[in-house]
Amino acid sequence: MKVALIGGTGETGSIIVNALLESDIPALKIIAIVRPASERKPDVVALEKRGVAVAVVDLEGPRAELVDVLEGADVLISTIHVSALGSQIPLADAAKAAGVKRFVPCFFATVAPAKGVLTLRQLKEEALLHAKKIRLPYTVIDVGWWYQLSIPRLPSGRIDSATPLPVNFIAGDGNTPSALTDVRDVGRFTARIIADPRTINKMVFVYGDIVSQNQIFDMLDEMSGETTKREYANAIEKSAFDNRMKIFYEYWYSMGVRGDNTLENAEFLGYVDGTKLYPDFQPITFEAFLKEVLDGKSVAIYRTLEQNVAKAER
Amino acid sequence: MKVALIGGTGETGSIIVNALLESDIPALKIIAIVRPASERKPDVVALEKRGVAVAVVDLEGPRAELVDVLEGADVLISTIHVSALGSQIPLADAAKAAGVKRFVPCFFATVAPAKGVLTLRQLKEEALLHAKKIRLPYTVIDVGWWYQLSIPRLPSGRIDSATPLPVNFIAGDGNTPSALTDVRDVGRFTARIIADPRTINKMVFVYGDIVSQNQIFDMLDEMSGETTKREYANAIEKSAFDNRMKIFYEYWYSMGVRGDNTLENAEFLGYVDGTKLYPDFQPITFEAFLKEVLDGKSVAIYRTLEQNVAKAER
């Protein structure tokens, strides 16, 4: 199986590469498509050392070059950077011309309606709409919110290094259930889904656990022996639109206030429940993740995130 | 079952009212929602005489009035006029507030992608997107193109009265199959679908026959003994955008050139094949319809269409 990947050095993309390399997919060949500007970056060189072929192409450049690279690919996965979501249109056109058998556009987030709630979701939908227009077979993968972006810091400061973007506020009343996944499982789920004929032309929803924010705080307090301050952000809707972090807070409004990120809503919106497709798959539980964090064993995979957020706030 | 209907005096709406009144749905109550300006129109008075309750409400007026009318409705069907499609947003909000169990937004046309091909489709999708946002249970019903709008005139002029909008051109090479339905069956299919729990939160595709334009011309020539002139409109894409009838020709481009209006594409786009849900349902075949037309027995249900088209061309 030949898998082409856009964004292979990003947060989600690198997790998917790891999972693919560890998977039992037979005769797997991974091609990371990178921009000319990134060709010599250490992350790209590291991918090559791990056996990933690297193809340097400009998604907005001549289509023939992109078609050449995609020729013979069974799957094209996009975990493209937010700022380049629009490039998925020429990417999809090239994939269609190359006969790619499955396009996985950049979703990998929470369950939410296509329009009117999440700015990012709305942007991501454009690639799906285009795939449907040109009849390019697709699979949408949504994974809920990540464990790693769901926990507050403790008063003692002992888990600060594991919380690059701490969540010390509670959206809504804190009792709304929300589907969460350990970011490492995003890769493992994706490796299953892209090799599965049942998921062609479907939206698939996977998750590791379904918990409310109050449950998260309770669990953390109990396991740590500390008492985390809970700031109820009932006005999150209004504040979101005054805030430069609007696209980030929209997710918390959607999850915590609207309650969009649930299995029930996923089914209403037409998703397939991916956890039922793979009953043998044992996702990391939220409790197991919390234990790792408290034991100082979690890997802080969001080193760059803090910097990006700081940049966005400026 | 209480069914509220918008557009009950229009081409599709009146066909649906007929089919509902003839259906075996138990304890059926139909409420036609009409604009204040239409209250005393003969078509509305005729509906009342047939046992349809009429509620006069402005869709863009105070929500409470609309919620009152929709209270207790099991199904809300919209066959709203093209010019008022935007009013489906406040309509859906009111339906949600009233606890309506199923919203059937105005689709009732061909299979096509949500965006980028048909202007009308794109406008219609807004109501569906909104229903998904507010979690209003819905059913989309698409019926292909109508038999009654698919046939050319004969050189003798003998079927002119049955062809208010004759199709004497062929879109593309004429060999692309397209799903068609007799307009009378649109009502009968709808009566089945809205009473069926399997169709909740689904897009349903129904059709009476699947034929190409060349097959239609061949059939008509053979059955009539005449020879109809075939004008191959290969440049239909370009002409459509220079033409005031753009939204009409877009359908022919989608059906004839792109080949969107097929069962295969419906399945790709996630529709349920409604003909498989009702194996006992015997739709009128295209051949039976043609025979009616040639025997002078067809009902010219598009009396007003010719006038509307003439108006649009001016």
Side-chain angles (χ1 to χ4, degrees):
Chain A
M1 186 194 268
K2 183 173 164 183
V3 179
L5 183 71
I6 310 281
T9 62
E11 298 291 349
T12 298
S14 56
I15 290 284
I16 291 173
V17 169
N18 290 347
L20 287 174
L21 290 172
E22 286 164 11
S23 76
D24 53 8
I25 296 175
L28 178 69
K29 190 181 171 189
I30 310 175
I31 299 171
I33 297 174
V34 303
R35 291 171 301 167
S38 303
E39 187 172 5
R40 290 178 192 176
K41 282 191 179 166
D43 286 353
V44 172
V45 175
L47 276 180
E48 281 186 305
K49 283 188 182 155
R50 299 178 68 196
V52 173
V54 170
V56 180
V57 197
D58 179 0
L59 301 187
E60 300 282 351
R63 182 182 298 181
E65 289 179 22
L66 195 47
V67 172
D68 267 359
V69 169
L70 293 172
E71 207 76 54
D74 297 286
V75 182
L76 166 62
I77 304 174
S78 167
T79 60
I80 202 162
H81 192 268
V82 168
S83 61
L85 280 170
S87 297
Q88 291 190 118
I89 305 298
L91 178 65
D93 285 332
K96 179 73 184 179
V100 170
K101 298 192 191 77
R102 186 194 308 245
F103 174 44
V104 182
C106 187
F107 276 78
F108 299 105
T110 59
V111 169
K115 193 172 169 185
V117 178
L118 299 175
T119 303
L120 266 184
R121 174 81 191 205
Q122 214 159 311
L123 287 170
K124 289 172 173 178
E125 291 283 340
E126 292 299 323
L128 177 60
L129 287 164
H130 191 70
K132 287 181 178 176
K133 178 183 170 184
I134 64 175
R135 283 178 227 148
L136 175 63
Y138 69 87
T139 302
V140 166
I141 304 176
D142 271 316
V143 300
W145 197 248
W146 297 349
Y147 289 174
Q148 283 80 0
L149 292 176
S150 299
I151 49 172
R153 289 190 171 167
L154 290 172
S156 66
R158 59 189 269 224
I159 63 169
D160 285 8
S161 70
T163 52
L165 200 63
V167 178
N168 276 80
F169 59 84
I170 287 177
D173 64 8
N175 292 323
T176 311
S178 191
L180 311 179
T181 301
D182 189 294
V183 72
R184 292 163 290 185
D185 280 338
V186 171
R188 293 165 59 215
F189 271 126
T190 300
R192 292 286 190 106
I193 292 165
I194 63 166
D196 185 347
R198 293 172 299 178
T199 59
I200 199 78
N201 304 328
K202 298 274 191 264
M203 302 201 298
V204 183
F205 177 46
V206 288
Y207 52 91
D209 233 330
I210 296 182
V211 287
S212 71
Q213 279 199 280
N214 283 335
Q215 285 173 322
I216 290 174
F217 278 68
D218 289 348
M219 224 186 287
L220 185 62
D221 285 359
E222 197 184 314
M223 288 170 74
S224 69
E226 300 189 38
T227 301
T228 314
K229 196 181 163 194
R230 305 183 191 203
E231 292 170 32
Y232 288 85
N234 283 314
I236 202 163
E237 182 181 23
K238 279 183 195 164
S239 74
F241 293 90
D242 300 331
N243 195 299
R244 291 194 194 179
M245 290 294 287
K246 180 188 164 196
I247 62 166
F248 177 76
Y249 284 110
E250 282 176 347
Y251 282 98
W252 286 102
Y253 179 68
S254 171
M255 291 189 286
V257 180
R258 285 182 43 93
D260 280 328
N261 188 34
T262 65
L263 181 57
E264 191 185 17
N265 196 38
E267 284 173 348
F268 169 69
L269 292 170
Y271 285 86
V272 172
D273 180 352
T275 67
K276 288 201 185 117
L277 296 180
Y278 316 110
D280 64 305
F281 186 104
Q282 298 284 336
I284 300 164
T285 64
F286 192 77
E287 194 178 349
F289 160 74
L290 265 193
K291 192 170 183 313
E292 268 187 3
V293 168
L294 288 165
D295 290 349
K297 288 180 186 161
S298 73
V299 188
I301 45 173
Y302 294 97
R303 290 277 173 236
T304 57
L305 188 65
E306 219 167 359
Q307 296 156 19
N308 288 340
V309 167
K311 255 188 241 170
E313 301 259 38
R314 276 201 300 270
Chain B
M1 187 196 269
K2 184 173 163 182
V3 179
L5 182 72
I6 309 280
T9 61
E11 297 293 349
T12 298
S14 56
I15 290 284
I16 291 173
V17 169
N18 290 348
L20 287 174
L21 291 172
E22 286 164 12
S23 76
D24 52 7
I25 296 174
L28 177 69
K29 190 182 172 189
I30 309 177
I31 299 171
I33 297 174
V34 304
R35 290 171 301 167
S38 302
E39 187 173 3
R40 291 180 193 173
K41 283 191 179 168
D43 286 351
V44 173
V45 175
L47 277 179
E48 281 187 306
K49 282 188 183 157
R50 298 178 68 196
V52 173
V54 170
V56 180
V57 198
D58 179 359
L59 301 186
E60 301 282 352
R63 182 181 300 179
E65 288 179 21
L66 196 47
V67 173
D68 267 359
V69 169
L70 293 172
E71 207 77 53
D74 297 285
V75 182
L76 166 62
I77 303 174
S78 167
T79 59
I80 201 161
H81 192 268
V82 168
S83 61
L85 280 169
S87 297
Q88 291 188 116
I89 305 299
L91 178 66
D93 285 333
K96 178 74 183 178
V100 170
K101 297 193 192 76
R102 186 192 311 242
F103 174 43
V104 182
C106 185
F107 276 78
F108 300 104
T110 59
V111 169
K115 194 174 170 182
V117 178
L118 298 175
T119 303
L120 266 186
R121 174 82 192 204
Q122 213 160 313
L123 287 171
K124 290 174 173 179
E125 291 283 340
E126 292 299 323
L128 177 60
L129 287 164
H130 191 70
K132 288 181 178 177
K133 178 182 170 185
I134 64 175
R135 283 178 227 147
L136 175 63
Y138 68 88
T139 302
V140 166
I141 303 175
D142 271 317
V143 299
W145 196 248
W146 298 348
Y147 290 174
Q148 282 79 0
L149 292 176
S150 299
I151 48 172
R153 290 191 170 166
L154 289 172
S156 66
R158 60 189 268 222
I159 63 169
D160 286 7
S161 69
T163 52
L165 200 63
V167 178
N168 276 79
F169 59 84
I170 287 178
D173 65 7
N175 291 324
T176 311
S178 192
L180 311 179
T181 302
D182 189 294
V183 71
R184 293 163 289 183
D185 281 337
V186 171
R188 294 165 59 213
F189 272 127
T190 300
R192 291 285 190 108
I193 292 166
I194 63 166
D196 184 346
R198 294 171 298 178
T199 59
I200 198 82
N201 304 326
K202 299 273 191 267
M203 300 201 299
V204 183
F205 178 45
V206 287
Y207 51 91
D209 235 328
I210 297 182
V211 287
S212 71
Q213 280 199 281
N214 282 336
Q215 285 173 322
I216 290 174
F217 278 68
D218 288 348
M219 224 185 289
L220 184 62
D221 285 357
E222 197 183 313
M223 289 169 73
S224 69
E226 300 189 39
T227 301
T228 313
K229 195 179 164 195
R230 305 181 191 205
E231 293 170 31
Y232 287 85
N234 284 315
I236 201 162
E237 182 181 24
K238 279 182 196 165
S239 73
F241 293 90
D242 300 331
N243 196 299
R244 292 195 193 177
M245 290 294 288
K246 180 188 165 197
I247 62 167
F248 177 77
Y249 283 110
E250 281 176 347
Y251 282 98
W252 285 102
Y253 179 67
S254 171
M255 291 190 287
V257 180
R258 285 182 44 92
D260 281 327
N261 189 34
T262 65
L263 182 56
E264 190 184 19
N265 196 38
E267 284 173 347
F268 169 70
L269 292 171
Y271 285 85
V272 172
D273 180 351
T275 67
K276 288 199 185 117
L277 296 179
Y278 317 110
D280 65 305
F281 187 105
Q282 298 283 339
I284 300 163
T285 63
F286 191 77
E287 194 178 349
F289 160 74
L290 266 192
K291 191 169 183 312
E292 269 188 3
V293 168
L294 288 165
D295 290 350
K297 289 181 187 162
S298 73
V299 188
I301 46 174
Y302 294 98
R303 289 276 174 236
T304 58
L305 189 65
E306 219 167 359
Q307 295 156 19
N308 289 340
V309 168
K311 256 188 241 168
E313 301 259 38
R314 275 203 300 273

